[in-house]
Amino acid sequence: MKAVITVIGRDTVGVIAKVSAVCAELNINVEDVSQSIMQEMFCMIMLVNLSRCSIDPAAVRDRFAALGQEMGMQVTLTRQEVFDAMHTI
């Protein structure tokens, strides 16, 4: 299963490292990353593959939500087909 991780919030040191560390911890493969800083706001989209993930998708979403709270940012995981449907006109 593929999914999209989005990260939005005030730019700070180590955001990519922290999100990537959770991916590695859960055996989630990062396939593509796009990130930018817009007026001190950090924005990142990661396309990930959860086919070898060690826990179920609901627990993964909860883990990234908890990481977002720790960092004071919004971190969300959305299945790719849901993400695509939300962004198709």
Side-chain angles (χ1 to χ4, degrees):
M1 178 179 99
K2 292 193 180 186
V4 176
I5 298 171
T6 57
V7 182
I8 301 170
R10 286 254 177 245
D11 186 30
T12 186
V13 174
V15 175
I16 296 172
K18 290 175 184 174
V19 175
S20 296
V22 172
C23 288
E25 169 191 323
L26 301 178
N27 206 27
I28 296 171
N29 187 43
V30 177
E31 295 185 349
D32 199 1
V33 178
S34 174
Q35 66 91 36
S36 64
I37 314 258
M38 298 185 301
Q39 297 183 1
E40 299 181 19
M41 292 298 289
F42 179 88
C43 305
M44 179 170 68
I45 299 173
M46 299 176 102
L47 177 61
V48 297
N49 189 324
L50 287 93
S51 62
R52 296 184 179 166
C53 182
S54 54
I55 61 176
D56 66 270
V60 174
R61 274 192 299 278
D62 292 344
R63 179 68 178 92
F64 281 111
L67 176 64
Q69 287 184 338
E70 290 170 22
M71 296 189 307
M73 302 179 91
Q74 178 185 12
V75 181
T76 58
L77 176 94
T78 307
R79 288 189 348 236
Q80 184 179 16
E81 56 270 13
V82 173
F83 185 87
D84 290 343
M86 290 171 38
H87 297 89
T88 301
I89 296 177

